[in-house]
C-alpha cells in the first residue's frame, strides 16, 4: 500500500489534529516522544506518514506532491497562494485577520491618506487594501511581534491575527477593521485527490464526522 503523506504545521495545531485522527483510529505513537529529533513518522498498519513543518512551508510540500495532504491555517493558505484543493475546515484555531491600531489611527485609516501597514502577511494586506478597499498604502513586512510597529512609530496600523484580543488590549491597540475569519483547514494535492480519491475521500468524511460531533 502506498503511504498517504500528511504535512502538519508544527505546534498546537499538529497536536489537536493528531487528536482528531486518533478518534478515527489513526494514531502515531512515535510522534509523542518529545526527546526525539525525528522529522517523519509512520503508521505502517494504516499506511500513513506524517511530518511536521513550518506552517508557511506546508502549502509548498502539498503543491509539489511531497505531501498528499496538509493541515494548516487559512491565513497561511491565502498568503502562500499555492495551487491546492482546500477540502475541510477543522474548526480549530479559530481567529480573525484584522486591521488593528490605536483608536487615533482610525481617522488616518478612513481618510484614505497614504498610511503605513506593518504585517507578517503582505499578500493578504495588499489584497485587502488594494483590491477590496482601493486604498494605496505602504506595506512593511515584519516577522513577528507585529503589535510593536504602531507603538514605536514604524507603522500607522497592522494587519495581524486576533484570537482573544488580549495582545492588542495589553498594548493599547484595538481592532479597526475585520478582513476574514480564520481556522485550520485540510488541503490536498491536486494529483493525489484523483489518484487516491477513495482513501482521501474516506479520510475527509471520517474527520468531518468527528469535527461535527465536537461542535455539538
Ligand atoms: C499571534 C498574533 C498576535 C497574537 C494574537 O501571534 O500575531 O500577536 O497571536 O492573539 P490574542 O488575540 O489571543 O492575543 P503569535 O503568538 O503567533 O506570534 P508572533 O508575534 O510571532 O506573530
Amino acid at each position: 500500500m502506498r503511504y498517504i503523506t500528511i504535512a502538519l504545521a508544527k505546534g498546537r495545531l499538529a497536536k489537536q489534529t493528531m487528536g482528531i485522527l486518533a478518534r478515527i483510529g489513526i494514531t502515531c505513537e512515535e510522534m509523542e516522544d518529545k526527546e526525539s529529533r525525528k522529522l517523519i513518522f509512520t503508521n505502517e498498519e494504516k499506511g500513513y506518514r506524517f511530518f511536521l513543518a513550518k506552517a508557511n512551508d506546508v502549502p509548498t510540500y502539498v503543491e509539489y506532491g511531497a505531501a498528499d495532504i496538509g493541515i494548516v491555517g487559512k491565513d497561511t493558505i491565502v498568503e502562500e497562494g499555492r495551487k491546492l484543493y482546500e477540502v475541510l475546515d477543522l474548526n480549530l484555531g479559530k481567529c480573525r485577520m484584522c486591521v488593528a491600531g490605536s483608536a487615533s489611527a482610525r481617522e488616518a485609516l478612513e481618510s484614505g491618506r497614504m498610511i503605513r501597514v506593518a504585517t507578517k502577511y503582505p499578500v493578504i494586506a495588499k489584497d485587502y487594501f488594494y483590491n477590496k478597499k482601493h486604498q494605496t498604502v505602504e506595506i512593511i513586512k515584519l516577522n513577528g511581534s507585529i503589535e510593536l510597529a504602531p507603538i514605536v512609530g514604524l507603522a500607522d496600523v497592522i494587519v495581524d491575527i486576533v484570537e482573544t484580543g488580549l495582545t492588542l488590549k495589553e498594548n493599547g491597540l484595538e481592532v479597526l477593521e475585520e478582513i476574514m475569519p480564520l481556522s485550520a483547514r485540510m488541503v490536498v494535492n491536486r494529483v493525489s485527490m484523483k489518484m487516491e480519491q477513495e482513501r482521501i475521500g474516506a479520510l475527509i468524511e471520517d474527520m468531518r464526522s468527528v469535527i461535527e460531533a465536537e461542535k455539538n
Side-chain angles (χ1 to χ4, degrees):
M1 181 167 46
R2 180 186 170 275
Y3 283 118
I4 297 275
T5 302
I6 305 184
L8 302 155
K10 259 191 242 182
R12 190 161 49 138
L13 181 57
K15 287 199 194 81
Q16 290 175 315
T17 304
M18 292 313 289
I20 295 180
L21 289 172
R23 291 189 48 186
I24 58 171
I26 302 169
T27 53
C28 191
E29 261 174 55
E30 271 189 303
M31 224 160 144
E32 315 274 300
D33 181 5
K34 296 209 169 45
E35 301 294 297
S36 170
R37 296 282 179 100
K38 262 183 95 164
L39 295 171
I40 191 146
F41 309 93
T42 53
N43 175 320
E44 300 288 344
E45 187 205 339
K46 307 258 164 154
Y48 282 92
R49 201 156 69 134
F50 302 93
F51 64 83
L52 300 172
K54 266 274 232 221
N56 293 69
D57 296 336
V58 168
T60 312
Y61 283 107
V62 177
E63 186 189 76
Y64 285 91
D68 301 292
I69 293 171
I71 307 288
V72 67
K74 178 71 176 175
D75 51 328
T76 308
I77 297 170
V78 179
E79 186 65 24
E80 294 298 318
R82 295 285 178 177
K83 295 188 193 82
L84 0 111
Y85 293 132
E86 185 186 313
V87 296
L88 185 65
D89 185 340
L90 274 69
N91 203 40
L92 296 173
K94 285 170 96 170
C95 50
R96 306 173 287 160
M97 187 64 74
C98 295
V99 180
S102 64
S104 62
R106 192 182 293 276
E107 186 267 324
L109 185 65
E110 283 165 5
S111 70
R113 276 207 306 275
M114 183 72 155
I115 54 165
R116 279 183 171 173
V117 181
T119 187
K120 210 154 82 171
Y121 301 90
V123 172
I124 294 175
K126 206 179 250 177
D127 179 62
Y128 179 69
F129 280 103
Y130 285 56
N131 301 333
K132 297 213 175 68
K133 294 197 70 188
H134 305 289
Q135 186 173 350
T136 312
V137 298
E138 183 181 348
I139 291 167
I140 303 172
K141 161 90 201 272
L142 291 177
N143 296 296
S145 304
I146 315 298
E147 292 82 0
L148 262 178
I151 300 173
V152 298
L154 175 64
D156 301 285
V157 297
I158 61 174
V159 164
D160 200 17
I161 290 172
V162 179
E163 191 180 350
T164 61
L166 221 63
T167 310
L168 289 181
K169 195 164 172 230
E170 289 192 4
N171 290 290
L173 305 171
E174 57 189 66
V175 171
L176 301 174
E177 289 169 3
E178 257 192 64
I179 301 178
M180 65 176 106
L182 303 169
S183 58
R185 307 291 161 92
M186 182 196 280
V187 291
V188 180
N189 171 271
R190 299 196 298 178
V191 176
S192 306
M193 198 66 197
K194 292 190 189 80
M195 304 298 286
E196 294 287 351
Q197 203 176 14
E198 219 166 291
R199 288 172 77 196
I200 294 177
L203 176 68
I204 295 169
E205 285 325 307
D206 289 350
M207 286 182 74
R208 195 195 305 280
S209 8
V210 173
I211 294 158
E212 286 306 318
E214 302 251 311
K215 273 186 195 165
N216 307 319

